[in-house]
Amino acid sequence: MQIETHLEHKFMACKSGLSLTKGQGIEGYASRFGEVDQSGDVVMPGAYAKSLAALAVRGSKVKMLWQHDPAQPIGVWDDVREDKHGLWVKGRLLVETRRGAEAAALIAAGAIDGLSIGYRTKCASKGNKGERCLSEVELWEVSLVTFPMLPTARVTGKGADDPVSAALRHMAAVLTEARRQIAKP
């Protein structure tokens, strides 16, 4: 039996890229205000305010998932807030988990850098150009994704200073070079 949650997803790619910061920290914009995404939606300033306030009152946090899969949490968002540009997120990948370690390696190698929100629309209206203007959403999760719906939703900060990350970067470089050598005519 499948349960319908009416949960929507918005994928966003960041122009400046998803990146790791100190240790396995990541940060970037999961959503940007006023930009039309590939499905014709525009998130308006203040759309996340009520949801973020409700989470704070409950002592809850927005979940960090892998590709919107609720069975694959990969880290913790320590800071989720609106600013004048959009929804800024900052958190930590949990490399103690298999998928978290894989995500860290993929980000460090530049293979993945998209962010995407999982939310429920609370209030929306039609814009002048036919776009759906989201003025209030209930934010459930922010995922690391391969293909964000909003091309500017990307990880912008990454830190990989620990030995595990260095080893993963080295392994990725070795595999990339091997692939290049195999592809030579």
Side-chain angles (χ1 to χ4, degrees), residues 19-34:
S19 57
L20 296 168
T21 56
K22 184 180 177 186
Q24 296 304 315
I26 59 172
E27 58 188 61
Y29 281 97
S31 173
R32 289 192 178 262
F33 297 138

Side-chain angles (χ1 to χ4, degrees), residues 100-123:
E102 290 173 4
L106 290 167
I107 292 168
I112 190 167
D113 65 355
L115 291 172
S116 178
I117 59 173
Y119 65 98
R120 181 174 292 136
T121 301
K122 301 294 270 183
C123 187

Side-chain angles (χ1 to χ4, degrees), residues 3-12 30-31 37 39-43 48 62-63 65 67-70 87 115-125 132-143 145 149:
I3 299 172
E4 180 59 48
T5 63
H6 302 289
L7 190 63
E8 299 178 64
H9 301 110
K10 289 290 172 216
F11 301 87
M12 182 172 161
S31 173
D37 70 17
S39 67
D41 286 350
V42 178
V43 178
Y48 301 102
V62 173
K63 304 303 181 202
L65 303 179
Q67 307 283 354
H68 295 295
D69 185 345
L87 184 69
L115 291 172
S116 178
I117 59 173
Y119 65 98
R120 181 174 292 136
T121 301
K122 301 294 270 183
C123 187
S125 60
R132 185 172 72 147
C133 299
L134 305 174
S135 56
E136 183 183 348
V137 298
E138 180 183 359
L139 184 63
W140 284 41
E141 52 95 3
V142 175
S143 285
V145 297
M149 186 66 74

Side-chain angles (χ1 to χ4, degrees), residues 19-166:
S19 57
L20 296 168
T21 56
K22 184 180 177 186
Q24 296 304 315
I26 59 172
E27 58 188 61
Y29 281 97
S31 173
R32 289 192 178 262
F33 297 138
E35 294 185 19
V36 180
D37 70 17
Q38 295 178 53
S39 67
D41 286 350
V42 178
V43 178
M44 308 308 292
Y48 301 102
K50 286 184 183 177
S51 180
L52 294 175
L55 285 168
V57 166
R58 291 194 313 264
S60 299
K61 288 188 172 189
V62 173
K63 304 303 181 202
M64 181 191 296
L65 303 179
W66 176 252
Q67 307 283 354
H68 295 295
D69 185 345
Q72 296 189 63
I74 58 170
V76 178
W77 292 119
D78 297 312
D79 187 12
V80 179
R81 60 183 160 79
E82 286 187 332
D83 64 18
K84 67 181 182 177
H85 304 289
L87 184 69
W88 176 257
V89 294
K90 183 175 182 178
R92 296 168 282 125
L93 291 170
L94 300 178
V95 295
E96 298 82 5
T97 67
R98 181 178 57 84
R99 192 61 82 187
E102 290 173 4
L106 290 167
I107 292 168
I112 190 167
D113 65 355
L115 291 172
S116 178
I117 59 173
Y119 65 98
R120 181 174 292 136
T121 301
K122 301 294 270 183
C123 187
S125 60
K126 205 60 134 171
N128 295 338
K129 298 177 183 175
E131 72 278 15
R132 185 172 72 147
C133 299
L134 305 174
S135 56
E136 183 183 348
V137 298
E138 180 183 359
L139 184 63
W140 284 41
E141 52 95 3
V142 175
S143 285
L144 289 173
V145 297
T146 308
F147 301 108
M149 186 66 74
L150 185 60
T152 58
R154 302 274 178 192
V155 173
T156 58
K158 59 184 173 182
D161 303 320
D162 65 294
V164 172
S165 294

